């Protein structure tokens, strides 16, 4: 079965650079979630989209932005990167119409900021 | 904050023993879900229990939900070394807000 695809899997950036993470949800899933997980931390919800509209916002810094496109893939744009942005970034998708919110996670993108 | 608290934060047991993890939350929920995460990997959905359910089983997993105490427990019976992972509870409320608890790190020694 198709799973959530995230790219790239690993990314190394310098401070103050920008990064773009991509997420391709499971086909027919209309909701996408982004999470940040620092070393030894629990996943922190950043932002979610339903039918290409932002549906909820968590602890996403102003330096970050995200959007969901017409094909339901989503991109997380991160600017003015800081050392503290080094983390695993997970994308998850769910079929919102099911209403139960079971999320299917991608393998994550490991971002290292030097 | 809606974020749940899990306890214990870490649990170390011998293979064959049972492992119990607890999760508490703060507001009314639609459902509660348990996820597993191997180190540095994505989270894998294990089991979902709806707010009107009290107990659910899936293989060696047993989940209970006590909405009066706003708490849930995950029991893994006859644990195996391969069960070594972090386990997170997550709550869904307002049908679109989803928060993870702080996780329990389980180590099953062979």
């Amino acid at each position: 079965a198709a799973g959530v695809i995230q790219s790239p899997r690993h990314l190394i950036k310098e401070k103050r650079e920008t990064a773009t993470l991509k997420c391709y949800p499971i086909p027919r899933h209309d909701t996408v979630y982004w999470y940040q997980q620092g070393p030894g931390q629990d996943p922190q919800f950043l932002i979610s989209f339903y039918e290409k509209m932002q549906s909820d916002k968590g602890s996403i810094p102003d330096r970050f932005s995200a959007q969901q496109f017409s094909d339901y893939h989503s991109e997380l744009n991160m600017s003015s990167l800081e050392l503290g942005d080094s983390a695993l970034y997970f994308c998850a998708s769910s079929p919102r119409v099911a209403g139960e919110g079971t999320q299917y996670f991608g393998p994550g993108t490991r971002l290292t900021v030097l | 904050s809606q974020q749940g608290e899990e306890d214990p934060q870490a649990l170390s047991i011998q293979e064959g023993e049972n492992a119990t993890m607890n999760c508490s939350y703060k507001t009314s929920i639609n459902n509660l879900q348990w996820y597993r995460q191997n180190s540095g990997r994505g989270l894998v959905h294990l089991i979902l229990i709806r707010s009107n359910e009290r107990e659910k089983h899936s293989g060696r997993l047993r989940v209970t939900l006590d909405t009066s105490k706003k708490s849930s427990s995950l029991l893994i019976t006859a644990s195996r070394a391969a069960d070594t992972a972090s386990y997170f509870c997550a709550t869904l409320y307002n049908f679109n807000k989803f928060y993870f608890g702080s996780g329990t790190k389980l180590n099953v020694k062979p």
Side-chain angles (χ1 to χ4, degrees):
Chain A
V4 176
I5 297 170
Q6 289 188 248
S7 69
R9 293 294 308 279
H10 302 271
L11 189 59
I12 299 175
K13 290 285 185 178
E14 300 277 339
K15 272 171 48 177
R16 292 180 288 278
E17 285 190 323
T18 61
T20 296
L21 310 185
K22 296 185 179 182
C23 169
Y24 297 86
I26 291 172
R28 290 181 293 283
H29 283 196
D30 50 19
T31 305
V32 168
Y33 306 81
W34 285 98
Y35 294 87
Q36 177 192 60
Q37 187 176 30
Q41 305 291 312
D42 52 299
Q44 294 292 320
F45 170 69
L46 294 178
I47 196 166
S48 63
F49 292 88
Y50 168 61
E51 281 292 343
K52 293 152 278 184
M53 300 287 289
Q54 181 182 309
S55 68
D56 197 14
K57 197 170 181 180
S59 51
I60 183 169
D62 292 341
R63 299 177 289 108
F64 294 6
S65 65
Q67 57 182 321
Q68 187 179 30
F69 295 86
S70 57
D71 63 352
Y72 294 101
H73 95 272
S74 178
E75 294 183 4
L76 177 66
N77 298 294
M78 310 157 73
S79 62
S80 302
L81 287 170
E82 302 173 357
L83 296 179
D85 296 329
S86 295
L88 266 172
Y89 289 84
F90 290 106
C91 167
S93 73
S94 74
R96 173 71 167 263
V97 66
E100 295 205 306
T102 299
Q103 298 189 13
Y104 299 83
F105 282 78
T109 293
R110 184 176 292 280
L111 173 66
T112 303
V113 181
L114 303 174
Chain B
S1 165
Q2 170 64 9
Q3 288 179 327
E5 298 292 324
E6 290 189 51
D7 80 274
Q9 288 188 320
L11 181 60
S12 186
I13 59 174
Q14 291 293 141
E15 210 166 25
E17 293 180 337
N18 295 340
T20 300
M21 290 158 266
N22 304 295
C23 166
S24 62
Y25 55 92
K26 295 183 180 178
T27 65
S28 296
I29 60 172
N30 307 121
N31 66 51
L32 185 144
Q33 303 175 34
W34 285 89
Y35 287 78
R36 165 198 167 118
Q37 184 181 34
N38 286 73
S39 180
R41 311 289 284 274
L43 289 89
V44 176
H45 180 259
L46 293 176
I47 194 166
L48 178 154
I49 186 164
R50 298 181 183 88
S51 58
N52 62 352
E53 296 176 318
R54 293 296 166 259
E55 188 171 313
K56 208 156 182 184
H57 298 254
S58 176
R60 293 184 295 113
L61 304 180
R62 173 178 169 253
V63 170
T64 61
L65 179 65
D66 187 336
T67 52
S68 66
K69 294 181 180 176
K70 293 186 168 57
S71 68
S72 172
S73 67
L74 171 68
L75 168 68
I76 303 175
T77 59
S79 63
R80 304 166 183 166
D83 295 329
T84 294
S86 291
Y87 292 82
F88 294 91
C89 72
T91 50
L92 177 74
Y93 70 107
N94 288 349
F95 290 103
N96 69 346
K97 295 187 185 296
F98 196 80
Y99 288 103
F100 280 90
S102 51
T104 292
K105 190 169 285 191
L106 173 66
N107 179 36
V108 181
K109 294 177 280 189

